[in-house]
Structure formats: C-alpha cells, structure tokens
Amino acid sequence: MRPSPLSFCVAIQASFLLSPCLPFSTQHVGKVQQQMPPSASTLIRSSSSFRPTTSTSSLNSQILDFIEPTTGVPVKLIGAMHYNPASIKLATDTINELQAEGKLGSIIIESCSTRWNATLENEMVKNALQSEMRAAHDLGLKYNRPVVLGDQCINITVSQLKNGAKEALIDLVQPIGGWGRLAESIGTARRESVPIGDGYLGIDSFLDEKLLGAAPVSFVKYPLSYMVKSPVAAVIVLGLLVLSGGEVSNASWLDEPASTSDMLVSLLVSFLETVVFARVFLKELLAERNEVLAVNILEQCKNYQSQSNKNGWMNLFKSNSDKANGAIYARESVVGKPEEGKTVVAVLGLAHCNGIKKIMTER
C-alpha cells in the first residue's frame, strides 16, 4: 500500500503544536528595531473578510481591532505565522506605534508558562531563532508593560488531545450515532473557532504576498526550533516518518500501476486521518484554547476600564492593584494595574484570531 501523504502532515503538525519549545527566539529585538521609526503602515483597521485593504501595507489584514463590550477597552489581535519575519515586523511596528502614542497596555502572547520558561533555558536557541512572540515579549519588558502568558497549560492541552483523538476514533467505528456525533462536534468547533464574514480575517490574510514570501523562513525555523529543544523527541518523530515512508525511498511503486484495492485503501486511510485530525485541530487545538486566551485577554481589559464616571468621590479610594484574576505574567514582567486610555494587544497564531474575537464580542 502506498504511504499516505497526510500521515506526514499529521505527524509534523502534532509534533510542532505539542512541542514545549514554542516559541523560540533571539536576543532582544533591540538596536536595529529601536532605530526604526513607527511605520505608518501599522495604523490598523479591523479587517473585513475577503476585502482588500486600502492601506499601503497589505499586512494590515492580519490585525483585528475591536472594543471589548463589557469594559469598553480597545483590543488589538495581531495574527502571525510563527517565526515569519513579516509577522515579527508587524508585531514590532504595532507595539512600537502604540507605545509612541501612549496607548500600549498589556501584551498577551500565545504561550503558557511551561512552554515559555523552557525557551529561556536554551541560550543557543534564543540567540539563533527569532519569533514574533519573543519580539513582543522583549518590547513589553523594554517599555515596562505587563507581558501575559495567556495560553492554556501544555499539559492540559496534551491530555485533551489524547481524549479528543480517542473520542473521534470511538465515534468512527460506530456508524449509528457515532458518525453523527463526530460530524456535529467538527461542525460546532468549526463555527466557534473559524467564524467567517464581515469583521473577521478573510482568506486574504493568510494569502498575503509578504507573509507567503517570508514563509520559507518559518518552514525552516519551526522544525529547527523543535529539533534543537527536544532532540530525542525529534529523532523519534523523524524515525517514525522515515519508517512510514520506507516504501517511498524504494519508489518501486512509481513504476507499477496501483491496484484498485490499494487506491481505495489509501483513500480510506487518508479520509480517516483527515477526520480525526480535523476533530482534534478544530476542537482541542483551536476552540478550547481560544476560550482560555479570550478569558486572559478579558482579564487584562479590566485593568484599563474607565473608572471616571463610577462611584464619584469613591474614586479617591480606588485600588491600584492588579484586577486581572489568574493572570500569569512572564518572568521580569511588571504586573498589571489600573490605567485608562490603553489598548490590550495579543500576539497569536492567525488561526486563533477570528474565534477569539467571536468569543469576546458575541458572548
């Protein structure tokens, strides 16, 4: 039987998404970026789905701007392709501009304390690789702004992925009832995690020419970061890929026509892989983590909610302590405190942005 190409994709995606090495980085984004003036291309407007941007920078289509309805605080979601130089520049320019305007509030990055602290332990990796989240983190420390590790703990994510894959496999072998539950689960997760329409990022955000032009850098740095941080796990994954693709190296099947049965089996295996991967990707990797990220963004918004028209003279006695419940701040970061006129910034993978905005604006 021919090896299924999708099996390679699933194995690689799972290894990257579960790796504790995300995000790796370089040294402080520092001197070169400090000398760069705030770019006019970072005057961001909320992107509408499938609408071309009218700005001089097409990368504006990777940013969602909205007002968090319960606090009235502006929120800016910066969608990124991890390790992509265009995404790094977008995050850097946006944060620098907000700081220049005196509007920079908390910075939330898509990482948990376990994954983030692991990146700080490997100096070689820190000096060799650069990510948009590290750039945002370093600017937050430079500007003395709160830097929040807003993602779900990796241990919880791994556990939920195992349970999700198990549930999907059980449903697959139960045509009566199971297939319906699986289809409903995938459909619900898709609607929650990847909403489309006006006010959301569209396909143009993912197919931006600057983002795609720099994509080869991401494709190199992403697996490299995993291999450097977790060499044993990387060797195991690579070994599995080599073994599963053993028939490819022989390539004898290229000279022989495949039988109908082989083609049907290969298509069936690919379909089952796709279904299971779609289930865990949309639900466990996107929808459930979006909930956690949205809550952490909302908690930071509470620090910047206007208090000027509340309780009158009682404002004289208001507390200056952090109002964000359960916030996990990066090492060396300041803790959040009540301020006004600030914008909360979140640096996230592109796939998270629409779902998080839906949670924060429609619930």
Side-chain angles (χ1 to χ4, degrees):
M1 183 178 68
R2 299 186 188 189
S4 169
L6 186 60
S7 62
F8 298 111
C9 177
V10 172
I12 292 173
Q13 285 282 353
S15 64
F16 291 165
L17 290 167
L18 294 180
S19 171
C21 69
L22 297 177
F24 282 122
S25 62
T26 187
Q27 294 172 323
H28 195 282
V29 290
K31 296 182 179 179
V32 174
Q33 293 171 338
Q34 291 174 19
Q35 295 172 358
M36 294 174 58
S39 171
S41 65
T42 56
L43 294 172
I44 308 302
R45 292 192 301 235
S46 178
S47 171
S48 297
S49 176
F50 300 95
R51 290 182 182 178
T53 176
T54 57
S55 169
T56 57
S57 172
S58 59
L59 282 175
N60 283 0
S61 63
Q62 275 96 52
I63 291 183
L64 282 177
D65 283 307
F66 60 92
I67 301 297
E68 197 288 310
T70 63
T71 62
V73 173
V75 174
K76 191 179 293 286
L77 305 181
I78 304 175
M81 178 184 290
H82 297 313
Y83 299 98
N84 190 298
S87 293
I88 295 171
K89 184 178 186 302
L90 179 63
T92 301
D93 287 350
T94 304
I95 292 172
N96 280 335
E97 180 176 341
L98 286 172
Q99 174 63 21
E101 296 174 349
K103 297 179 180 179
L104 181 61
S106 298
I107 300 172
I108 294 92
I109 56 179
E110 183 202 330
S111 189
C112 68
S113 58
T114 301
R115 289 158 55 196
W116 186 258
N117 292 337
T119 70
L120 304 179
E121 298 171 1
N122 194 315
E123 289 296 328
M124 179 180 69
V125 175
K126 287 170 59 180
N127 296 335
L129 301 175
Q130 184 180 19
S131 79
E132 70 291 339
M133 285 185 274
R134 183 66 188 199
H137 164 274
D138 288 351
L139 286 174
L141 297 188
K142 172 185 174 183
Y143 295 139
N144 206 34
R145 304 308 304 165
V147 179
V148 181
L149 305 176
D151 203 357
Q152 178 175 260
C153 179
I154 185 64
N155 296 333
I156 297 176
T157 300
V158 170
S159 176
Q160 291 178 338
L161 280 171
K162 292 178 181 178
N163 293 334
K166 184 186 301 183
E167 291 173 3
L169 290 172
I170 292 174
D171 285 341
L172 274 176
V173 298
Q174 297 180 6
I176 299 177
W179 290 4
R181 286 194 302 271
L182 186 58
E184 182 180 0
S185 176
I186 293 174
T188 300
R190 204 286 306 164
R191 289 189 296 273
E192 291 296 320
S193 61
V194 194
I196 58 176
D198 289 343
Y200 292 111
L201 299 182
I203 191 65
D204 57 317
S205 301
F206 296 84
L207 300 181
D208 179 88
E209 58 182 11
K210 294 181 181 179
L211 197 67
L212 294 180
V217 178
S218 300
F219 298 154
V220 171
K221 287 187 175 182
Y222 211 163
L224 180 61
S225 66
Y226 179 67
M227 289 187 289
V228 172
K229 178 61 185 178
S230 307
V232 175
V235 169
I236 293 174
V237 171
L238 182 61
L240 291 173
L241 291 176
V242 171
L243 290 175
S244 66
E247 297 178 38
V248 177
S249 61
N250 187 0
S252 59
W253 56 270
L254 291 174
D255 301 325
E256 301 176 2
S259 66
T260 302
S261 61
D262 284 345
M263 293 180 63
L264 291 176
V265 170
S266 180
L267 288 173
L268 177 61
V269 171
S270 296
F271 173 75
L272 295 178
E273 288 175 338
T274 301
V275 170
V276 174
F277 183 68
R279 163 65 163 73
V280 297
F281 178 75
L282 290 172
K283 188 173 186 294
E284 281 75 23
L285 287 176
L286 282 185
E288 293 182 358
R289 290 171 61 212
N290 285 352
E291 295 279 354
V292 176
L293 286 162
V295 166
N296 284 318
I297 295 171
L298 172 60
E299 289 300 321
Q300 290 302 312
C301 288
K302 294 178 181 178
N303 278 322
Y304 308 110
Q305 183 175 9
S306 176
Q307 301 293 324
S308 58
N309 58 351
K310 293 185 177 182
N311 300 324
W313 61 271
M314 289 296 293
N315 288 325
L316 298 174
F317 305 98
K318 64 183 180 182
S319 172
N320 286 323
S321 60
D322 186 12
K323 294 184 178 181
N325 296 320
I328 299 177
Y329 296 97
R331 294 179 186 176
E332 302 181 9
S333 169
V334 299
V335 175
K337 63 179 181 180
E339 300 178 74
E340 295 186 13
K342 302 295 184 182
T343 298
V344 174
V345 178
V347 181
L348 314 156
L350 269 169
H352 288 285
C353 292
N354 286 359
I356 290 175
K357 180 182 179 182
K358 179 180 176 67
I359 292 171
M360 298 191 70
T361 59
E362 296 184 9
R363 293 189 183 180

